[in-house]
Amino acid sequence: MTLKASLYFAKSLIFPKTEKKSSARKSIYGAIICIGLSVIPLVAVLSITNGMIDGMTERIIGLSSSHLEMRVAKGIEETKSAEKFTAYAARFEKVSGVTAVYPEVTLSALAVGKNVRTGAYIRGVQSDIFSRNESFKTLFEVLEGDTSSISGAIIGQKMAERLKVHAGDSFRIITTRKSGENVLPKLSTFKVGAIVTSGYQELDELWIFIPIETFFRSFTMTNADFNILIETEDAFSPRLMAIQRAVKKEAGQYANVYRWSQVNSARFENFSSTKVMLVFIMMMIVLVASINISSAIVMLVMERRREIAILKSMGATPRGITLSFLLTGLFCGFSGLCIGLPAGLLISLFANQLIRGLECMVNLFTEVRLMDPAYYLQTIPVDIPLLQIVLVCAGTLLLSVLVSVLPSVRAGKEKPLEALK
């Protein structure tokens, strides 16, 4: 039996010329629809999780740890004043591969608003960082006020909601100071210069930015941490480790230098494991759907036993018959992909609009936030992973063939005499 004959028989199995009712054909069409429906969420999950993780990673690197984070020891001469610390940080701009440095002093404190107190993470930064740092400029959305130069304090949206303040309002920060053997509270008052959001509330909900000079004047530096955020040309460059070593060599024994992946290792491992688990669940759905192909092929074999017997009596080989049914299973997988792949890509591209629409419908009955910025990004930056989608397509086709093997081999072993009887 030639390949052309196998292809022709497979075509007749899928598109028979007779109009008689066929349960097997209905099963095949049902299997195609099941494959298509299972591929839709798999493609959508891949695209949305990729975009979500990339968006979170971009904000963590650009707004928090930068490409490299240097942690400077307390008590050394370079940390005695804002001018000395800024000058010390500028030294590292000369290291090969470093494009920018941003000195920063941080402190955990208590913010006090209108009858509300909440924990806060104070970041003393250079007053022009929102205009000089490209990540600050593009990833922060200004909701109120002006960030061109930090004159008072710039706070996150969630912090502003907790303190019940707006741009121009005043709030207080409570820290501690040591007086002899006693630890006493210290109260500092600041004016809100701007309210911003990065779209990722879990990251920025406690941040309060103030000028580094004001930080040194207002707070006791005993509990403060001194950091230098260092940018390179590419956070994902293979040279990042070499730049890390060069910066460490320049810093000497009074500082440790960490890559962004080291600083946030636990968070990124969580992202990766979540994505793997979601993809695994979606692949299980595809596997379950592909079993329908096997059932449809079994029904098709039973329905076409007489035709198989006639073909065998005319010289058709078991291998040729088996190939015809394998091609039928492959067609089911391919047709399912033709349905599921475009639909999944469309859902991915319009994911934000679909989520907003669902929120509007659900909120007619109860208040629900499907994309709560406390846990997710407010807007999903969809990223279509072409290589992963190609692998999904190849895996689906391979799975369709594999589940068709047993019934197809059984069809090839059919004995024509028994069938004709």
Side-chain angles (χ1 to χ4, degrees):
M1 190 174 183
T2 63
L3 176 62
K4 184 177 179 180
S6 295
L7 288 170
Y8 186 81
F9 183 46
K11 179 183 175 183
S12 70
L13 293 173
I14 302 165
F15 306 109
K17 292 182 180 180
T18 58
E19 296 298 327
K20 66 178 183 179
K21 294 181 180 181
S22 171
S23 300
R25 201 189 324 163
K26 291 178 181 178
S27 298
I28 286 176
Y29 295 155
I32 290 171
I33 293 172
C34 287
I35 290 289
L37 293 176
S38 65
V39 169
I40 291 173
L42 178 56
V43 173
V45 163
L46 280 174
S47 303
I48 292 172
T49 55
N50 266 24
M52 189 77 74
I53 291 172
D54 288 347
M56 291 176 177
T57 302
E58 183 183 21
R59 283 160 175 78
I60 290 169
I61 295 173
L63 306 178
S64 180
S65 65
S66 197
H67 302 180
L68 295 173
E69 182 177 322
M70 180 190 296
R71 296 175 182 175
V72 183
K74 303 175 185 179
I76 63 174
E77 186 62 29
E78 286 82 356
T79 61
K80 296 297 183 183
S81 67
E83 293 76 17
K84 288 181 179 180
F85 189 53
T86 303
Y88 175 67
R91 287 172 42 187
F92 299 98
E93 289 183 341
K94 300 175 183 178
V95 176
S96 177
V98 174
T99 57
V101 296
Y102 303 98
E104 180 178 299
V105 190
T106 61
L107 180 68
S108 295
L110 192 66
V112 182
K114 300 175 180 178
N115 303 318
V116 178
R117 295 181 181 182
T118 182
Y121 188 68
I122 317 301
R123 299 178 63 177
V125 296
Q126 292 171 300
S127 58
D128 61 348
I129 192 170
F130 278 85
S131 57
R132 190 161 64 91
N133 186 307
E134 196 62 33
S135 296
F136 275 64
K137 194 190 314 183
T138 56
L139 297 178
F140 272 124
E141 179 188 353
V142 182
L143 303 177
E144 294 183 32
D146 181 24
T147 59
S148 56
S149 180
I150 304 177
S151 54
I154 295 178
I155 65 176
Q157 180 185 18
K158 187 65 177 180
M159 178 67 70
E161 291 174 358
R162 287 175 178 171
L163 299 179
K164 299 179 182 179
V165 295
H166 297 275
D169 294 344
S170 295
F171 69 100
R172 291 165 292 175
I173 294 176
I174 301 176
T175 54
T176 59
R177 61 184 178 86
K178 201 166 184 180
S179 177
E181 296 296 326
N182 299 320
V183 177
L184 303 175
K186 182 178 181 182
L187 196 64
S188 305
T189 302
F190 292 90
K191 185 178 180 180
V192 178
I195 297 172
V196 298
T197 178
S198 67
Y200 182 25
Q201 208 172 86
E202 185 180 345
L203 183 68
D204 64 16
E205 63 177 333
L206 300 179
W207 288 351
I208 296 177
F209 297 94
I210 63 173
I212 193 169
E213 297 82 6
T214 306
F215 192 104
F216 272 84
R217 289 196 305 267
S218 303
F219 305 127
T220 304
M221 308 307 291
T222 308
N223 297 322
D225 294 316
F226 300 87
N227 305 313
I228 299 175
L229 306 182
I230 300 172
E231 280 190 357
T232 63
E233 292 181 358
D234 182 9
F236 301 91
S237 170
R239 292 188 60 237
L240 190 63
M241 194 175 294
I243 298 171
Q244 177 190 15
R245 288 195 295 265
V247 172
K248 171 59 180 171
K249 184 177 179 181
E250 177 68 22
Q253 62 180 333
Y254 296 110
N256 290 317
V257 184
Y258 302 93
R259 298 186 305 279
W260 62 269
S261 56
Q262 294 174 310
V263 175
N264 303 286
S265 58
R267 183 172 282 172
F268 291 120
E269 284 175 8
N270 183 39
F271 289 164
S272 299
S273 60
T274 301
K275 180 182 175 181
V276 169
M277 184 58 66
L278 285 171
V279 172
F280 176 76
I281 292 170
M282 295 300 108
M283 284 303 297
M284 288 298 101
I285 295 174
V286 175
L287 177 61
V288 171
S290 65
I291 293 173
N292 289 315
I293 296 177
S294 180
S295 302
I297 298 295
V298 169
M299 293 186 66
L300 194 61
V301 171
M302 294 175 64
E303 193 175 83
R304 298 301 183 96
R305 289 187 68 194
R306 291 183 62 186
E307 292 181 30
I308 295 169
I310 293 170
L311 287 171
K312 278 201 161 188
S313 65
M314 296 175 65
T317 62
R319 185 178 297 177
I321 299 294
T322 299
L323 179 60
S324 297
F325 283 95
L326 285 175
L327 290 172
T328 303
L330 181 63
F331 171 81
C332 292
F334 178 77
S335 301
L337 283 174
C338 290
I339 296 171
L341 189 57
L345 291 174
L346 280 173
I347 288 174
S348 301
L349 291 173
F350 296 98
N352 291 298
Q353 292 86 337
L354 288 171
I355 290 171
R356 300 292 177 267
L358 285 172
E359 280 186 353
C360 291
M361 291 174 61
V362 173
N363 287 341
L364 293 174
F365 307 99
T366 182
E367 186 68 25
V368 174
R369 293 292 301 275
L370 296 179
M371 292 303 294
D372 192 336
Y375 310 103
Y376 310 103
L377 295 179
Q378 286 177 316
T379 303
I380 303 171
V382 177
D383 176 27
I384 307 297
L386 294 178
L387 178 59
Q388 294 178 20
I389 287 177
V390 169
L391 291 175
V392 165
C393 294
T396 303
L397 293 176
L398 179 62
L399 200 57
S400 301
V401 173
L402 289 176
V403 297
S404 305
V405 168
L406 288 177
S408 299
V409 170
R410 180 184 172 188
K413 291 181 178 180
E414 282 283 340
K415 296 178 180 180
L417 186 59
E418 293 181 3
L420 291 174
K421 282 182 180 180

